[in-house]
Amino acid sequence: MIELEGVPELIDPVMVAAFEGWNDAGDAASGAVAHLDREWKGEVFAALDAEDYYDFQVNRPTVWLDNGVRKITWPTTRLSVVRIGGAKPRDLVLVRGIEPSMRWRSFCNELLGFAHELGVEMVVILGALLGDTPHTRPVPVSGVTSDPDLARTMELEETRYEGPTGIVGILQEACTHAGVPAVSLWAAVPHYVSQPPNPKATLALLNRLEDLIDIRIPLGELPEDARAWQLGVDQLAAEDSEVAEYVQTLEEARDTADLPEASGEAIAREFERYLRRRDPSAADPGTATESGGTYFRDPGSVNRPKPKPEDPPTPEEDPPTP
């Protein structure tokens, strides 16, 4: 049963979800939702029953001490609410958890039940994939949807992907069949430096979310963390001639592919973001500057096609069986 007592009436609510695991390269997506929850001091109002969706031999519970009393934290998915003030107030329902081990259809139906009861207008699901992208360039973020009308009105790609999928793809399709507008935002993480965290990819997802739902997100120390991350990877790459040569190859391919993006709408979007962050009337300070694992993967050990905006991710490992 869904219990929503104590949850205030929400203003134009949008549900933002991310799940650890298969769809969360570098913890970029779950890190983005955690950042929103932390910066806006989200209040948890519900948690799904872990017994229904998780294999505890795969995602084990943890034991901890609270003033000498042993307690257990079970792997689950939690929902919280954050209230955004300012000239155009809006509320977010944050969903953060682990990709479930079983009963994916029931899992999605339960989340959609919350969305219906709270009057959610749109669901945005964040994901991150491993791709052939250099760490020295802006993180590619693609926005996809299964709804052709939504794709047209919000300038998104209509997905044409066929193949194995994770809970992000399943939840998006569940939303579409339930008549709930849903969008997935995917950040591409360099496969040769995939260890979490990846603050640069997290920052890119938050910037894209800002543009999508027209809010201003306080970034805190995230831009500085992204710069430090990139400098650290630069230093490690400089110490390995093979990796440095491989990164240069990726840079050349990326720069050639991105030449058409160096004008028009891409510049306009960046300029609009710059103006928003210089607006003294905005509620929160911050700089939306995007910049950039300490361990490299062997560049030759992964052979993946270049991610396309219309395609969901190609994960590093075999997908779990729903």
Side-chain angles (χ1 to χ4, degrees), residues 3-50:
E3 297 289 345
L4 297 176
E5 293 183 8
V7 179
E9 184 175 349
L10 304 182
I11 301 173
D12 300 331
V14 172
M15 178 177 281
V16 181
F19 303 94
E20 300 172 19
W22 201 72
N23 300 136
D24 193 25
D27 290 355
S30 59
V33 173
H35 178 87
L36 296 174
D37 192 69
R38 182 171 57 252
E39 291 294 323
W40 275 316
K41 298 178 175 57
E43 297 182 6
V44 175
F45 66 87
L48 305 190
D49 189 342

Side-chain angles (χ1 to χ4, degrees), residues 270-289:
E270 290 303 314
F271 186 62
E272 288 172 359
R273 183 181 294 121
Y274 169 78
L275 291 179
R276 280 202 305 270
R277 294 205 168 276
R278 286 186 59 86
D279 182 2
S281 65
D284 298 298
T287 303
T289 304

Side-chain angles (χ1 to χ4, degrees), residues 45-194:
F45 66 87
L48 305 190
D49 189 342
E51 289 278 349
D52 291 340
Y53 304 114
Y54 294 100
D55 180 344
F56 299 138
Q57 290 182 320
V58 176
N59 298 292
R60 292 185 178 274
T62 57
V63 178
W64 55 287
L65 293 175
D66 181 14
N67 293 325
V69 179
R70 292 172 66 83
K71 294 187 176 181
I72 296 176
T73 299
W74 297 92
T76 188
T77 295
R78 293 178 173 83
L79 290 84
S80 59
V81 171
V82 297
R83 317 218 69 175
I84 306 171
K88 294 190 293 183
R90 158 163 267 175
D91 297 326
L92 300 182
V93 178
L94 303 181
V95 179
R96 182 186 175 202
I98 304 169
E99 183 177 63
S101 306
M102 62 194 83
R103 302 186 182 92
W104 285 17
R105 285 175 291 191
S106 297
F107 180 87
C108 293
N109 287 337
E110 190 163 355
L111 290 180
L112 283 169
F114 282 108
H116 174 73
E117 291 296 323
L118 293 168
V120 166
E121 298 182 346
M122 182 169 66
V123 175
V124 182
I125 316 163
L126 307 183
L129 63 143
L130 298 178
D132 292 333
T133 182
H135 72 277
T136 53
R137 298 294 185 265
V139 175
V141 177
S142 56
V144 298
T145 181
S146 300
D147 186 333
D149 293 332
L150 199 62
R152 183 176 59 256
T153 57
M154 302 194 75
E155 299 181 354
L156 302 166
E157 295 288 337
E158 187 178 353
T159 182
R160 293 283 187 263
Y161 174 76
E162 295 178 313
T165 189
I167 193 61
V168 171
I170 297 299
L171 180 56
Q172 178 169 316
E173 291 306 308
C175 290
T176 300
H177 289 299
V180 179
V183 175
S184 296
L185 300 181
W186 290 100
V189 172
H191 67 79
Y192 58 90
V193 57
S194 59

Side-chain angles (χ1 to χ4, degrees), residues 237-305:
E239 297 171 0
D240 188 319
S241 59
E242 183 181 354
V243 172
E245 182 179 353
Y246 180 68
V247 171
Q248 184 178 1
T249 301
L250 292 179
E251 289 173 339
E252 292 171 354
R254 174 71 185 276
D255 292 344
T256 300
D258 283 355
L259 280 176
E261 285 290 320
S263 60
E265 293 184 3
I267 293 177
R269 284 195 301 269
E270 290 303 314
F271 186 62
E272 288 172 359
R273 183 181 294 121
Y274 169 78
L275 291 179
R276 280 202 305 270
R277 294 205 168 276
R278 286 186 59 86
D279 182 2
S281 65
D284 298 298
T287 303
T289 304
E290 189 179 291
S291 55
T294 58
Y295 301 97
F296 289 110
R297 299 180 60 84
D298 179 6
S301 67
V302 182
N303 182 19
R304 296 181 176 82

Side-chain angles (χ1 to χ4, degrees), residues 197-213:
N198 189 319
K200 185 174 181 179
T202 294
L203 179 60
L205 281 170
L206 292 175
N207 282 338
R208 188 68 174 86
L209 180 65
E210 276 192 329
D211 295 338
L212 183 72
I213 62 177

